């Protein structure tokens, strides 16, 4: 899968994604992550990419032309217009379901905004998806883009090893993960739950399911509600 990230801060995005599992997946050829520096496409002789908003008001806006030309450099090369995600608080909140869906795309473009935003006209022209990562305000779209690339990438076949892609994951069935323990059997006077040492697979599975439910009910009543409704049969 190929990611194209249109940004004024390509170093930040590249540095953030060249490490650990995503970095390994790029090395292995499962993913390609290309940053496009929007500033490279300015026609302004002082390299400006922002200007004052018509009508007045606080802050500066990213201008339409450099954003459009950065996007066009990608779409011209590809010969088609892949989905283009604009990272903005003015969108539905990114979910695991969306991560799985995006992982089915061959190419995906991310547009990272800065300042007070981007001239609306270029958004109308190129953006297919408006996505937020939660109800708080960030200074730019780079971190949200990195969050999305990470979550989407780990759904791409080959990116995770079998070890890493445990079938039992948070959100997989609207439940949080059960608690886990490694050596030693006793630490700071706390013992690993006896059932996990028993070798009794059915009892272990039952215990984990029970813990996952308990934990979800206590920590994420919103998820628990959805889970209970789903069990009733009427759910997704
Ligand atoms: Cl996608 N962008 C910005 N700037 N702030 C955010 C966000 C995105 N999602 C939550 N806050």
């Amino acid at each position: 899968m190929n990611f194209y990230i249109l940004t004024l801060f390509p170093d930040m995005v590249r540095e953030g994604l060249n490490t650990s599992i995503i970095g390994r997946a790029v090395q292995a050829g499962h993913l390609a992550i290309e940053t496009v520096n929007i500033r490279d496409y300015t026609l302004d002789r002082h390299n400006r990419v922002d200007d004052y908003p018509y009508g007045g008001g606080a802050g500066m806006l990213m201008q339409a032309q450099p954003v459009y030309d950065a996007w066009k450099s990608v779409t011209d090369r590809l010969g088609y217009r892949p989905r283009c995600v604009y990272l903005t608080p003015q969108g539905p909140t990114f979910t695991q379901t969306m991560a799985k869906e995006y992982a089915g795309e061959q190419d995906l473009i991310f547009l990272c905004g800065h300042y007070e935003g981007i001239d609306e006209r270029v958004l109308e022209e190129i953006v297919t998806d408006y996505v937020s990562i939660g109800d708080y305000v960030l200074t730019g779209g780079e971190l949200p883009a990195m969050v999305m690339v990470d979550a989407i990438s780990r759904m791409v076949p080959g990116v995770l090893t079998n070890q890493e892609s445990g079938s039992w994951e948070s959100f997989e069935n609207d439940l949080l993960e059960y608690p886990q323990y490694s050596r030693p059997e006793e630490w700071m006077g706390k013992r690993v739950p006896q059932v996990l040492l028993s070798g009794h697979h059915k009892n272990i599975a039952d215990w984990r399911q029970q813990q996952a439910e308990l934990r979800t009910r206590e920590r994420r009543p919103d998820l628990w509600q959805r889970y209970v409704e789903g069990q009733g049969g009427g759910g997704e």
Side-chain angles (χ1 to χ4, degrees):
M1 178 166 185
N2 306 307
F3 297 100
Y4 303 87
I5 303 167
L6 316 182
T7 171
L8 290 172
F9 300 94
D11 295 344
M12 175 183 181
V13 175
R14 272 203 303 271
E15 285 300 315
L17 293 172
N18 69 7
T19 315
S20 188
I21 292 175
I22 304 304
R24 182 188 69 194
V26 170
Q27 289 299 317
H30 299 299
L31 307 171
I33 301 173
E34 182 179 323
T35 54
V36 178
N37 190 343
I38 294 168
R39 199 176 297 279
D40 289 346
Y41 292 86
T42 182
L43 300 176
D44 179 90
R45 61 199 171 89
H46 301 295
N47 275 350
R48 299 203 62 100
V49 290
D50 61 331
D51 207 339
Y52 296 97
Y54 280 116
M60 305 289 272
L61 285 182
M62 284 166 70
Q63 293 169 283
Q65 174 270 317
V67 171
Y68 184 75
D69 289 350
W71 172 83
K72 197 163 179 299
S73 77
V74 175
T75 55
D76 277 354
R77 219 177 340 133
L78 294 178
Y80 83 113
R81 301 165 151 230
R83 287 168 83 174
C84 177
V85 178
Y86 178 43
L87 290 312
T88 169
Q90 302 180 15
T93 304
F94 187 53
T95 61
Q96 186 63 32
T97 304
M98 288 157 74
K100 279 187 211 160
E101 195 220 322
Y102 282 123
E105 302 288 328
Q106 180 67 241
D107 303 288
L108 200 51
I109 301 177
F110 290 96
L111 172 59
C112 305
H114 255 271
Y115 312 113
E116 296 307 305
I118 303 183
D119 190 308
E120 189 69 18
R121 294 168 295 184
V122 69
L123 300 178
E124 290 173 6
E125 203 60 38
I126 71 175
V127 173
T128 58
D129 303 47
Y130 294 79
V131 182
S132 170
I133 63 163
D135 289 340
Y136 38 82
V137 182
L138 300 168
T139 56
E142 283 75 16
L143 286 168
M146 289 157 71
V147 164
M148 287 188 67
V149 168
D150 187 290
I152 294 165
S153 295
R154 58 189 297 293
M155 293 295 106
V156 171
V159 169
L160 298 185
T161 65
N162 282 338
Q163 284 274 350
E164 289 158 350
S165 66
S167 58
W168 223 114
E169 284 199 296
S170 285
F171 303 111
E172 276 301 311
N173 34 31
D174 290 339
L175 285 180
L176 301 181
E177 253 174 289
Y178 48 79
Q180 302 216 69
Y181 305 85
S182 184
R183 291 198 295 178
E185 270 184 45
E186 185 179 328
W187 181 77
M188 293 256 236
K190 296 162 175 283
R191 295 195 55 78
V192 173
Q194 198 56 43
V195 61
L196 299 179
L197 310 174
S198 69
H200 192 302
H201 298 304
K202 171 77 166 77
N203 286 355
I204 291 172
D206 288 347
W207 181 86
R208 285 177 165 169
Q209 177 70 21
Q210 193 186 4
Q211 290 293 312
E213 292 182 2
L214 201 61
R215 179 159 281 209
T216 307
R217 205 166 63 203
E218 280 175 8
R219 298 186 184 184
R220 288 294 303 275
D222 55 324
L223 284 185
W224 177 249
Q225 196 55 37
R226 209 160 74 190
Y227 176 72
V228 172
E229 284 160 12
Q231 297 293 302
E236 325 167 75

